Amino acid sequence: MESGDSTKRRLTILGSTGSIGTNTLDVIDRLGGRDRFEVAALTGNGNIPLLAEQARRLGAELAVTADDNLYQDLKSALAGSGIAVAAGRSGLTEAAERDAGWVMAAIVGNAGLAPTLAAARRGADIALANKECLVSAGSLFVDAVKTGGGRLLPVDSEHNAIFQVLENDQRHAVERIILTASGGPFRTKSLDEMRHVTAETARAHPNWSMGLKISIDSASMFNKALEMIEARHLFGLNPEQIEVIVHPQSVIHSMVGYSDGSVLAQLGCPDMRTAIGYALSYPSRCDLPVERLDFAKLSRLDFEAPDEVRFPALRLARRAMEAGGVQGAVLNGAKETALEAFIKGRTGFLAMAEIVEKVMDDLADLPPAATMDDVFAADEKARQMAAGLIG
């Protein structure tokens, strides 16, 4: 049961200062703000002024910075507000365990796994934007959601699209799902051109406005690779049922193919608020001020097969899915380490996939995870090995 005003919906946003978090708050504001919602907790990382402003504006009960060193800064920024303050991993867990029926899981990277798992275990509905919960923890995380009794509501635009058009009473008839990919800023670049790109050029996504890391993951198609692994766990599919098609316009967000030859697709203008609003209002739909798709002005929709030579992340995802076990955690841990090194100029764009593949080769014999500690151990081994390769 949720405490507080029973006429209002209580929620928590893990990662409120990032791209997904700020869009979530925009949706909340447009749907009535404090008149309709109670905010149990907000969490952020280094952007203390924004986190404090959000907490004051929405009357959050608790504000948390993931950085222990910024605790005093956040406490000072919220002095006199009556808003409780916490920091670090324990603070994130405290936020997740606060009584709220709906939790936006938008902390980027493996740091989001523990607090999201804590929210799932107590039975909250999880609006899932963090990829690592399913990529690294897979069935352990899905089982935690089922045991807790909450619902798993995908927020990634592709998974949300599938969630909207996947007919629950026809799951037996699903032949395949087709995840669309824009192709990113390097869709038409040669391998030689891609070898010399920088983090600044890689972050310039042609269609979506996203944070730095996810934008670079999109450019390398590691973002799509993670989505493939997620889709397997979200929708209970076999690896061979998951396809990827490059669709530069990002109008079709994903598709479901059925045994009678029908293909159902979800279309819309690129705007994360659509998926967020659907997850927040599910099973209803809400009114949102997003751009409407004008078919008369839509001159063409293009599709092409992905090039796994230039974008080997897709091949590595299939390998991880087929191997099972902790290979998703290994792939992700190595990828995050390589991505950090690329952002800092310590490794090349194409070298990221090479590093991930070498780590997967060396850790191919790790046993399956029986507990979350096994997942964290595999992740740590992958990160250490990747760091050693980077030097």
Side-chain angles (χ1 to χ4, degrees), residues 102-141:
W102 187 91
V103 175
M104 169 58 76
I107 297 175
V108 175
N110 224 43
L113 182 50
T116 306
L117 189 62
R121 283 172 170 162
R122 66 170 178 78
D125 287 343
I126 306 296
L128 190 63
N130 169 281
K131 297 182 181 302
E132 287 70 22
C133 289
L134 291 171
V135 172
S136 297
S139 57
L140 288 177
F141 180 76

Side-chain angles (χ1 to χ4, degrees), residues 22 35 46 66 103 124 142 164 173 188 198 222 226 240 268 271 281 307 316 328 350 374 383:
T22 53
D35 291 336
V103 175
V142 172
Q164 292 191 45
T188 60
T198 66
F222 264 112
L226 300 185
E240 61 271 17
D271 192 323
S281 300
D307 183 348
L316 297 177
L350 296 180
D374 297 331
R383 289 171 189 270

Side-chain angles (χ1 to χ4, degrees), residues 187-265:
R187 179 175 63 88
T188 60
K189 300 292 186 184
S190 67
L191 273 173
D192 189 57
E193 289 174 311
M194 292 166 66
R195 192 167 283 113
H196 305 291
V197 301
T198 66
E200 281 305 306
T201 53
R203 74 182 301 175
H205 196 280
N207 299 331
W208 296 93
S209 176
M210 303 181 292
L212 174 63
K213 289 184 177 181
I214 194 170
S215 295
I216 296 174
D217 276 349
S218 179
S220 66
M221 293 196 80
F222 264 112
N223 190 47
K224 202 59 51 181
L226 300 185
E227 288 173 7
M228 293 167 67
I229 301 172
E230 284 183 279
R232 182 187 184 186
H233 295 292
L234 271 171
F235 305 114
L237 301 170
N238 297 318
E240 61 271 17
Q241 291 178 284
I242 302 168
E243 301 178 9
V244 173
I245 192 76
V246 175
H247 170 46
Q249 291 86 358
S250 296
V251 170
I252 297 177
H253 299 305
S254 278
M255 298 168 270
V256 178
Y258 289 93
S259 56
D260 62 357
S262 298
V263 177
L264 302 187

